Amino acid sequence: MTIRVGILGAGGFTGQELIGIFARHAQVELVYITSSEYADKPLAAAFPQLAHPAFGNLKFSKHPQVIADAPKLDAVFLATPDDASLKWAPEFLGAGVKVIDISGAFRLSDAALFKEYYGLEQTAEDTLKKAVYGMTEIHRGAIQKAELIANPGCYPTAAALPLWIYRDLIDFSKPVIVDAKSGTSGAGGRKEKDGLGYSTVYENFRSYRTAKHQHAPEIAQELSRATGVKVNLRFTPHLLPMYRGILSSAYAFLKPGKNAADFAAAAEKVRNETFLRARENVDAVELKHVQHTNFCDYAHFLDENTGVVQIVSAIDNLMKGAAGQAVQNMNLMFGIPETTGVI
Amino acid sequence: MTIRVGILGAGGFTGQELIGIFARHAQVELVYITSSEYADKPLAAAFPQLAHPAFGNLKFSKHPQVIADAPKLDAVFLATPDDASLKWAPEFLGAGVKVIDISGAFRLSDAALFKEYYGLEQTAEDTLKKAVYGMTEIHRGAIQKAELIANPGCYPTAAALPLWIYRDLIDFSKPVIVDAKSGTSGAGGRKEKDGLGYSTVYENFRSYRTAKHQHAPEIAQELSRATGVKVNLRFTPHLLPMYRGILSSAYAFLKPGKNAADFAAAAEKVRNETFLRARENVDAVELKHVQHTNFCDYAHFLDENTGVVQIVSAIDNLMKGAAGQAVQNMNLMFGIPETTGVI
Amino acid sequence: MTIRVGILGAGGFTGQELIGIFARHAQVELVYITSSEYADKPLAAAFPQLAHPAFGNLKFSKHPQVIADAPKLDAVFLATPDDASLKWAPEFLGAGVKVIDISGAFRLSDAALFKEYYGLEQTAEDTLKKAVYGMTEIHRGAIQKAELIANPGCYPTAAALPLWIYRDLIDFSKPVIVDAKSGTSGAGGRKEKDGLGYSTVYENFRSYRTAKHQHAPEIAQELSRATGVKVNLRFTPHLLPMYRGILSSAYAFLKPGKNAADFAAAAEKVRNETFLRARENVDAVELKHVQHTNFCDYAHFLDENTGVVQIVSAIDNLMKGAAGQAVQNMNLMFGIPETTGVI
Amino acid sequence: MTIRVGILGAGGFTGQELIGIFARHAQVELVYITSSEYADKPLAAAFPQLAHPAFGNLKFSKHPQVIADAPKLDAVFLATPDDASLKWAPEFLGAGVKVIDISGAFRLSDAALFKEYYGLEQTAEDTLKKAVYGMTEIHRGAIQKAELIANPGCYPTAAALPLWIYRDLIDFSKPVIVDAKSGTSGAGGRKEKDGLGYSTVYENFRSYRTAKHQHAPEIAQELSRATGVKVNLRFTPHLLPMYRGILSSAYAFLKPGKNAADFAAAAEKVRNETFLRARENVDAVELKHVQHTNFCDYAHFLDENTGVVQIVSAIDNLMKGAAGQAVQNMNLMFGIPETTGVI
């Protein structure tokens, strides 16, 4: 089988990563990429490192005005702003095209929360109902049958996956604290802008959007869904002076009666998950080990003195945190091996 | 007044910082610096950036064998390994020299804890009794009368100072979590060694010594002293891919009945402290703002949803976290203005 | 003597550096700083690291509309765009204020070259005649009597100073090649803009403006002035993934009959220059040794095989390459010790 | 065809890169990797990022004592020190195994030069005669028939390839100057050691081994071979504060009568070379464009004012500068498509 794929908004970091994955993906033919900035220009205009016939001779198209502007596709990846995804997801679904949306448009099932955190009305409520949240290891069954994937945010992937693994060992009636640190490719786009200039980021470190970050309700929603209780989350992202990767340090409280053996058993349950990789201890969870891969490395530390369980995880924000997980999901939707192109 | 000063172990990062401060300090004459590696060589052999007559023509001496090897001093800074400080602090005190010890030898008042965390016997118990813990803003009165200062560790300074400011607003019966991030100059010495090579640190991030770091009991001791209750601390240091600065993120629980106004009042109480600098919010606490200064920037975020109080602080680990605070303390011991040479 | 000083355009990197120097300068009172972006705001609005009463309570003023808007000054530093300097240098000179211009407005004595490289008409020809080129070690005598200094560019300072030291040993009838590498603070301003975003600079290296950089004619002019022959220069600047410093590698040809002893003699001649610092060989010329200082480190390598003389130098682009040299020049203009505030 | 491959000394940067390439190479089976440090340990002990069954379950063997210790191989890559290669290349050749030597043992055809620059006797003179220098695009014919490849150094690849392209346009009777800049992965190995600690490299830049670097005679030899004249080279390598890539800036003199059209024609001649990629101008030759690829990007600038031809090139030192080119050569030796596994 060959899957005919398009990418809307292909001129950014995620677009570049998807294009790189598809070059190694035996069953994908990339036939359509759009960009307002690079319209009518070859791939190499946006990504000079891809200046070679081996990367094909695809050109960027303008963004479509109407769905008929797009060629016949089997799947489309929306690497577009939230409002553009609200518009295009229903259109492509209507044309029988499977949609993997990488924006935040369909991640929050509560329209009021969406309004609060994204500043947008949820104008596609019917489409929202069809959306499956694409945290692959958690929702694999639903993803296989889905027509529309809400691909998870980078911080939610890093934070929620390992907390889900240990979900039965944590007392979710108490607060969960996530102190997360990201390289710049996760914190912003390709364009230079306030806060991401070299002289601002280099030899510096700080938190941002501590009071209100749109990934906080997404993490809470996923943990609440997994546990059946409303999870109270304190989430703080930070900007690392580097490029690639997210390290998430979660601090939670041990459920009474649980112990080290229970943690080993929980990790054992996901032993066959290709992309979940248990490390021997939290200090061995390093960004260097996951860069340019689709792995989520994780480990825990159980502090008997305080009852705090520390769960540390690392991902490449552009792979498992965006493009890599999106392709995992696409593979499942089309019934081909989940790891194709991403290992 | 001119204070005749010596530095034992002056060839490292802290020695360099002290030498830089003394060059600007109107009342210090630096007369004695020792180093095994640079013995008999000029200052510029260790610090080529200081190759100029303006920086004096001091040479490194060998480490003393006996106290008589040292010239007559008013004060000595011990930038030596812990065991060397155990030996030399009593000797210099015996010779009537005021001692500022920058090692960990006299920080922990409990010899058993010292053994556990430093792997050394506390062989100078009598001297230990004379040691005043040099967290300047907290112990100013005792420091003024002290003959021996146990200069605080870099992480303890960053973490404990702002928690002390807000000590009446935190429920210390619950765990306190400190997630701290340091540049490489705080995490290791001048020598290349395992874990601090360029290819290991660059474009990487991870925790280290999560299970057991010698600064954990030091922070807990200081908080317990300030609050009268045994503080349960979960402390995790991380290594940033940069050089200078520590950001400490403390997560604690609000004491029932306390509110935003109480935080404002607590900050107001220390308004006149030169080196404590309140920022408008936690995201405005940045390493770039404190580098090459003796300031401790801090702010808090009160999350009403979880009851978590987040207290973020930033220092330059070589200044307020080591040499700068050491000179603050020396100034107090000699009755000269506390800020001399460090602002 | 107290010199009343103003800075026009004080909100950028050079302004920050000047303000830092004046805080340590015993004979300067900084009374006037202007900025369009920070008008009516305190110093700390632009430079949060300076948020402290110790740094004074100076506020930014609007840029002046007419000269009467400025207070009475003894000296003004123009850290303004070239066209603003063309306007304000004559105005301040007319009001009896000594001017140190840090822009490129008065560096090139040939108005046609100025037009070609700066894209501006030289509208202040009479003022241009009064300008003394402020390469301090070369033009000290003229600087002492000057009313207007054209402060040198950062690359010209790095490249021309050591070539001037060895000027009698180089065959200037043959081309001189300068391959220069700069940190980002020398290559651009404070604002994020194309080419200086974190993701563009980090883990990258390249040349820029190889075909035409405005510092090329400035270097050639200074070398031609020193040697009496028209120097043919090939100048290529590069952007380093770091912040502070310029390393200039000049490749020239040995004048027939000259040898190693002549190089030693030439270096000996400038031995008393405070800020020229000979290193033992070119590999010992490092950016780390000059950062945050006003030194120009230099060394040469004479390759007998090819007849190529390699002259390597390093400066801090914000100090000796901008603010530091500007203050050296101001000191000379007011007859106070040249090193005041900059060592 | 499946090529059974071994790597001696597989625990370093080049070993890691080779293993990564072979994971994508359809016709290679990697059966033997040796390491003294990691003997008897799995791949992931040396390279934690490769901790996954997908990367096979190969273990490191001890280095062989005698050739019989090694399994039956079709090809062996020697990522060993020079003296180990001198020993093992003849042994493997004698056993009928094709050898790609990544050390410097067989690069210099002149044993006296080898002694001078490597400090070793050339003890394998007969083997040396069989060695083909593996600059693929230049020696493709000989490589196809070779039993032993001396794989080029990283700087020689970066510098010599584009100079070879333009060899007829340069006056090689005059000196050629190469000012080269490398990330740390090219300048040293995996181990922390003097000069490659984080605090030494970060926020720093300098040259090293200016007077004598072992890649200088290798570049000169290759250019002399290509032109028939003894090329006089001035070569200076520098260490960039980053990880991956080499930028080589060559300055040479135009051959009389040559012009811009001749440069276009020379580039046109190599248009079909997959890995030689002409850029529109020298400022567009960036390390970011070649990282993690086997491309050599290049461009020239012809300065009519000085007669200097500036030839700039960029490679990934671990790919085209080491492992990538080695695999290109192996592919040719076994008659399979040259780009297999490296594009």
Side-chain angles (χ1 to χ4, degrees), chain A residues 48-52 54-55 202-203 274 277 279 288-289 292 295 343, chain D residues 48-52 54-55 202-203 274 277 279 288-289 292 295 343:
Chain A
Q49 48 278 71
L50 302 180
H52 195 269
F55 302 111
Y202 180 73
E203 185 69 358
T274 302
R277 194 160 62 170
R279 291 288 179 186
K288 201 173 273 297
H289 298 167
H292 297 283
F295 291 108
I343 200 158
Chain D
Q49 47 277 72
L50 301 181
H52 196 269
F55 304 111
Y202 180 72
E203 185 68 1
T274 301
R277 193 161 61 171
R279 290 288 179 186
K288 201 171 274 294
H289 298 167
H292 298 284
F295 290 109
I343 200 159

Side-chain angles (χ1 to χ4, degrees), chain C residues 1-340:
Chain C
M1 177 179 32
T2 295
I3 309 168
R4 286 171 57 86
V5 164
I7 308 170
L8 255 64
F13 287 149
T14 303
Q16 180 173 10
E17 205 74 19
L18 284 169
I19 291 164
I21 293 171
F22 292 146
R24 303 189 295 268
H25 194 299
Q27 291 177 265
V28 161
E29 187 187 5
L30 181 61
V31 296
Y32 184 56
I33 54 177
T34 77
S35 162
S36 49
E37 185 173 0
Y38 300 106
D40 301 322
K41 292 186 182 160
L43 203 53
F47 309 120
Q49 48 278 72
L50 302 181
H52 196 270
F55 303 111
N57 48 20
L58 207 56
K59 280 193 178 181
F60 287 98
S61 301
K62 290 193 190 65
H63 289 312
Q65 294 295 311
V66 294
I67 186 73
D69 291 347
K72 178 79 192 80
L73 300 172
D74 297 314
V76 71
F77 290 76
L78 303 180
T80 36
D82 307 306
D83 54 351
S85 288
L86 286 178
K87 170 180 164 54
W88 285 107
E91 297 265 354
F92 278 101
L93 287 173
V97 182
K98 296 188 183 187
V99 177
I100 297 100
D101 179 32
I102 299 176
S103 84
F106 301 103
R107 290 178 191 160
L108 297 181
S109 56
D110 179 337
L113 270 183
F114 181 68
K115 181 76 194 291
E116 180 182 348
Y117 279 87
Y118 287 84
L120 288 173
E121 296 295 332
Q122 180 45 274
T123 55
E125 291 259 18
D126 288 348
T127 303
L128 178 62
K129 283 175 197 141
K130 298 178 196 152
V132 173
Y133 188 65
M135 194 84 83
T136 321
E137 287 75 11
I138 306 184
H139 302 293
R140 188 174 283 120
I143 291 165
Q144 286 167 327
K145 294 175 229 148
E147 297 297 309
L148 167 61
I149 296 294
N151 210 61
C154 51
Y155 286 120
T157 300
L161 266 180
L163 284 165
W164 168 78
I165 296 171
Y166 294 127
R167 65 195 173 281
D168 294 332
L169 313 178
I170 291 168
D171 182 351
F172 281 105
S173 72
K174 293 187 177 162
V176 173
I177 292 162
V178 173
D179 187 291
K181 301 89 172 172
S182 174
T184 58
S185 63
R190 261 192 98 190
K191 297 281 166 187
E192 284 87 10
K193 59 180 179 184
D194 263 19
L196 289 178
Y198 191 78
S199 68
T200 308
V201 174
Y202 180 73
E203 185 68 1
N204 200 8
F205 184 71
R206 64 174 183 90
S207 62
Y208 65 101
R209 288 194 244 160
T210 291
K212 189 174 177 182
H213 189 289
Q214 72 278 12
H215 285 175
E218 187 180 336
I219 300 170
Q221 168 185 286
E222 185 64 0
L223 294 178
S224 298
R225 201 182 268 157
T227 60
V229 301
K230 190 180 170 303
V231 170
N232 279 318
L233 179 75
R234 173 88 288 279
F235 172 67
T236 308
H238 300 76
L239 188 60
L240 289 165
M242 56 180 289
Y243 186 65
R244 220 175 232 268
I246 287 177
L247 192 108
S248 163
S249 305
Y251 298 92
F253 289 91
L254 187 67
K255 194 178 267 190
K258 300 299 183 180
N259 60 35
D262 299 312
F263 280 84
E268 180 62 25
K269 269 196 200 165
V270 294
R271 222 180 84 119
N272 289 325
E273 286 291 347
T274 302
F275 295 116
L276 302 183
R277 193 160 62 170
R279 290 288 180 186
E280 60 271 33
N281 60 57
V282 296
D283 295 349
V285 177
E286 301 191 23
L287 292 188
K288 202 172 273 297
H289 298 167
V290 298
Q291 284 157 353
H292 297 282
T293 80
N294 200 48
F295 290 108
C296 174
D297 279 14
Y298 70 97
H300 78 282
F301 177 71
L302 176 47
D303 182 19
E304 306 205 337
N305 181 40
T306 55
V308 170
V309 185
Q310 195 166 337
I311 296 173
V312 178
S313 50
I315 62 167
D316 183 316
N317 52 290
L318 296 175
M319 285 292 293
K320 185 63 178 170
Q325 185 155 252
V327 174
Q328 251 188 298
N329 289 330
M330 182 206 72
N331 289 342
L332 284 173
M333 293 163 91
F334 285 88
I336 64 177
E338 185 180 327
T339 61
T340 311

